């Protein structure tokens, strides 16, 4: 699983870097959004005392508990702080399994890779860095966390050809609402979305 995953992520980063050259205005928009807003978001506090305020976090943790996935694809990161309680739950679950679990943060803004690595390493003192060429991950007991640059268009296209689900690997998708950020013409969006849903149903145990 790990070697297939690493190969897929390396292809995804390469494809996304090439796409960024064609969509520089989109890159500029998300960089500015991160600098002015997303990068300033903080850790949520006392989420169990405010279930309605933190509904999304509770829903994602519920998905983790019900599906026990080996791989989590987090498609709409921006800043890992607001979803840290979900990652904490995944780390907790990974400690009682014999398989290595994988959490992948995917964001189109390159600055997020180093930013989120720093936040995650500080939050989980047990975690260290490992490199696979240009690809970097942080890891601890039974868990490996990737923070990569990737576009959703490239993710779905490459996944279908390079990282199909195997029967032994349970996978879930988080932040599927990030679909609204794709650089696809409105006239083509519905057709594209229908094809994506077919692929998601075939390959993922759950999504949110």
């Amino acid at each position: 699983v790990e070697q297939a995953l690493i190969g897929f992520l390396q292809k995804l980063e390469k494809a996304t870097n090439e796409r960024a050259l064609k969509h520089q205005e989109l890159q500029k928009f998300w960089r500015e959004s991160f600098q002015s807003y997303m990068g300033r978001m903080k850790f949520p506090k006392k989420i169990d005392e405010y279930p309605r305020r933190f509904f999304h976090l509770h829903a994602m943790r519920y998905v983790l508990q019900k599906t026990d996935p080996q791989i989590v694809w987090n498609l709409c990161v921006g800043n890992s702080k607001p979803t840290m309680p979900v990652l904490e739950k995944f780390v907790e679950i990974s400690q009682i399994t014999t398989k290595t679990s994988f959490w992948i943060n995917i964001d189109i803004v390159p600055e997020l890779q180093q930013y989120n690595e720093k936040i995650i390493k500080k939050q989980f003192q047990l975690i260290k860095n490992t490199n696979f060429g240009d690809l970097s991950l942080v890891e601890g007991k039974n868990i490996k966390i990737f923070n990569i640059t990737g576009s959703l268009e490239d993710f779905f296209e490459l996944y279908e050809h390079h990282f199909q689900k195997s029967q032994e690997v349970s996978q879930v998708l988080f932040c599927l609402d990030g679909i609204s950020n794709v650089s696809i013409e409105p006239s083509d969006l519905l057709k594209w979305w229908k094809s994506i849903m077919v692929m998601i149903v075939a390959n993922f145990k759950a999504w949110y």
Side-chain angles (χ1 to χ4, degrees), residues 19 21-22 73-74 108 129:
R19 181 182 293 272
L21 297 176
K22 302 176 184 178
W73 303 90
N74 190 17
I108 198 170
N129 262 95

Side-chain angles (χ1 to χ4, degrees), residues 2-181:
E2 183 173 330
Q3 288 305 311
L5 182 60
I6 289 170
F8 167 72
L9 295 179
Q10 289 172 330
K11 289 183 175 68
L12 177 57
E13 283 208 322
K14 180 180 179 182
T16 299
N17 290 337
E18 293 172 355
R19 181 182 293 272
L21 297 176
K22 302 176 184 178
H23 299 279
Q24 295 186 26
E25 286 300 314
L26 185 63
Q27 285 274 324
K28 180 182 177 183
F29 171 79
W30 286 114
R31 279 194 173 104
E32 291 175 350
S33 296
F34 172 67
Q35 292 165 357
S36 63
Y37 169 63
M38 290 188 294
R40 302 184 183 187
M41 298 174 75
K42 301 182 183 301
F43 293 104
K45 298 179 179 179
K46 300 180 180 180
I47 70 169
D48 292 320
E49 295 182 19
Y50 304 99
R52 293 186 66 181
R53 181 187 304 174
F54 298 111
F55 170 79
H56 295 295
L57 299 181
H58 285 280
M60 287 189 281
R61 293 202 307 183
Y62 179 80
V63 169
L64 292 180
Q65 291 172 323
K66 287 295 183 180
T67 61
D68 189 24
Q70 187 176 359
I71 300 177
V72 171
W73 303 90
N74 190 17
L75 304 182
C76 188
V77 186
N79 177 339
S80 61
K81 288 181 180 178
T83 56
M84 192 59 71
V86 185
L87 179 53
E88 288 174 341
K89 174 58 68 174
F90 189 63
V91 171
E92 177 186 319
I93 293 173
S94 73
Q95 303 309 295
I96 57 175
T97 182
T98 56
K99 293 182 179 180
T100 300
S101 300
F102 302 89
W103 178 284
I104 301 103
N105 288 325
I106 301 177
D107 197 286
I108 198 170
V109 182
E111 290 84 352
L112 265 295
Q113 181 176 8
Q114 293 182 348
Y115 177 86
N116 283 326
E117 277 192 3
K118 181 179 178 180
I119 296 299
I120 291 168
K121 285 171 64 180
K122 185 176 180 180
Q123 188 73 6
F124 303 103
Q125 299 296 324
L126 72 163
I127 285 180
K128 64 179 182 178
N129 262 95
T130 305
N131 290 336
F132 294 91
D134 294 333
L135 195 66
S136 176
L137 68 89
V138 288
E139 60 180 318
K141 178 187 175 184
N142 294 342
I143 188 165
K144 298 189 177 185
I145 304 168
F146 291 89
N147 297 281
I148 76 157
T149 303
S151 72
L152 297 189
E153 301 96 305
D154 292 320
F155 171 80
F156 287 113
E157 180 179 338
L158 291 171
Y159 181 94
E160 196 167 16
H161 293 95
H162 297 286
F163 194 80
Q164 286 291 345
K165 173 186 173 182
S166 69
Q167 294 299 320
E168 297 80 23
V169 183
S170 172
Q171 304 176 60
V172 300
L173 286 168
F174 281 152
C175 293
L176 198 55
D177 55 345
I179 288 293
S180 60
N181 300 329

